[in-house]
């Protein structure tokens, strides 16, 4: 695994907020886990009038991903992922999350 690919990205293309992708990536040597970037609800909301990531071939429209549930609490899946990151002493990147999502993840006990 090259140093450029030692990261696990949690966009729709890798299954979204997916504990299995994180587990696999960390076991293969990933040192950074990126929360959603182009699949983040915040990213999609801010780019709704613009073409998202123009590509040569059309792609499926992204599903907006958030780390928070309907009550603005960190979801159980994200809690599990945060525990995985901490256990391996890896780095968490906030990706394109909204500041309220980032704050909620960082305040989690």
């Amino acid at each position: 695994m090259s140093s450029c690919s030692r990261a696990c990205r949690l966009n729709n293309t890798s299954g979204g907020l997916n504990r299995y992708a994180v587990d696999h990536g960390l076991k293969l040597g990933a040192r950074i886990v990126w929360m959603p970037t182009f699949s983040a609800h915040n990213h999609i909301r801010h780019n709704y009038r613009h073409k998202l990531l123009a590509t040569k071939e059309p792609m499926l429209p992204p599903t907006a991903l958030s780390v928070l549930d309907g009550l603005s609490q960190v979801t159980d899946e994200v809690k599990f992922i945060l525990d995985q990151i901490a256990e391996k002493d890896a780095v968490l990147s906030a990706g394109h999350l909204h500041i309220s999502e980032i704050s909620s993840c960082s305040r989690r006990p």
Side-chain angles (χ1 to χ4, degrees), residues 52-69:
L52 295 174
L53 297 175
T55 57
K56 183 177 176 183
E57 296 294 327
M59 297 176 70
L60 294 171
T63 300
L65 301 174
S66 176
V67 297
L68 304 179
D69 62 18

Side-chain angles (χ1 to χ4, degrees), residues 6-10 22 26 30-35 81 85 90-94:
R6 290 197 177 188
C8 180
R9 298 152 189 92
L10 300 178
V22 173
L26 292 172
R31 298 298 306 138
I32 302 170
V33 177
W34 284 78
M35 286 296 171
I81 290 168
I85 295 166
V91 175
L92 170 65
S93 167

Side-chain angles (χ1 to χ4, degrees), residues 19-54:
R19 67 178 69 192
Y20 301 99
V22 173
D23 181 61
H24 187 75
L26 292 172
K27 286 180 178 171
L28 289 176
R31 298 298 306 138
I32 302 170
V33 177
W34 284 78
M35 286 296 171
T37 54
F38 61 84
S39 298
H41 181 267
N42 184 54
H43 180 93
I44 292 169
R45 184 171 52 89
H46 280 287
N47 289 291
Y48 71 96
R49 288 188 216 141
H50 310 290
K51 187 171 185 166
L52 295 174
L53 297 175

Side-chain angles (χ1 to χ4, degrees), residues 73-88:
Q73 301 297 314
V74 176
T75 66
D76 289 340
E77 187 69 8
V78 172
K79 289 176 184 176
F80 192 94
I81 290 168
L82 293 173
D83 288 343
Q84 289 175 295
I85 295 166
E87 183 179 300
K88 293 291 186 182

